[in-house]
Amino acid sequence: MAYTRVLDRGTWTTALDELTEAHGGELVSIEVLDPAIGHQYAAERLPFSYLTYDPKDDVVIVAVGGRSPRDPVALRHMVRHPKEIDISTVGVPEPAVRVLDGDDAATLITFFPAESGTES
């Protein structure tokens, strides 16, 4: 049975920093599910760099790439003015984070084990 935890806003920075530590070296996909424009991938199975919340600017940032010759450029996807963050890590095939913005567009960040031979 899958377990999804809705984070309290006061724990966003710490929880996302802990996720960054726990999933270092893995691959990540970033999907945007927007009622107005539909489902789009911003990144597919790229090396995960970090996931953080900046309370000053009220923005969640997920970064991929930038750590190897294969993926030398970092891509940063930002969700401005998030209103909810959910984490699913137990009882799911791949751990995931869902960030919901003020317009009800969801960004889904899914973690995958690093594939052998993808890092150079």
Side-chain angles (χ1 to χ4, degrees):
M1 183 171 161
Y3 173 73
T4 300
R5 176 172 55 124
V6 177
L7 298 178
D8 178 61
R9 184 177 283 270
T11 66
W12 287 2
T13 302
T14 302
L16 297 182
D17 288 348
E18 288 171 357
L19 273 169
T20 294
E21 276 189 47
H23 295 283
E26 294 186 357
L27 302 178
V28 70
S29 288
I30 304 168
E31 301 171 68
V32 179
L33 305 128
D34 188 322
I37 61 171
H39 176 174
Q40 299 181 11
Y41 278 92
E44 290 187 70
R45 293 189 186 229
L46 291 175
F48 174 64
S49 293
Y50 64 86
L51 177 61
T52 191
Y53 173 67
D54 178 350
K56 180 181 173 211
D57 291 325
D58 192 27
V59 63
V60 170
I61 305 166
V62 58
V64 298
R67 293 190 174 186
S68 73
R70 181 170 182 245
D71 297 294
V73 177
L75 167 88
R76 290 177 186 84
H77 178 81
M78 298 182 191
V79 180
R80 297 189 187 284
H81 309 296
K83 66 179 184 181
E84 184 176 289
I85 299 177
D86 310 331
I87 297 177
S88 296
T89 56
V90 177
V92 293
E94 291 89 19
V97 177
R98 182 183 70 106
V99 182
L100 192 62
D101 73 13
D103 294 326
D104 291 326
T107 296
L108 184 62
I109 302 137
T110 307
F111 297 92
F112 301 91
E115 297 168 358
S116 171
T118 58
E119 291 294 312
S120 313

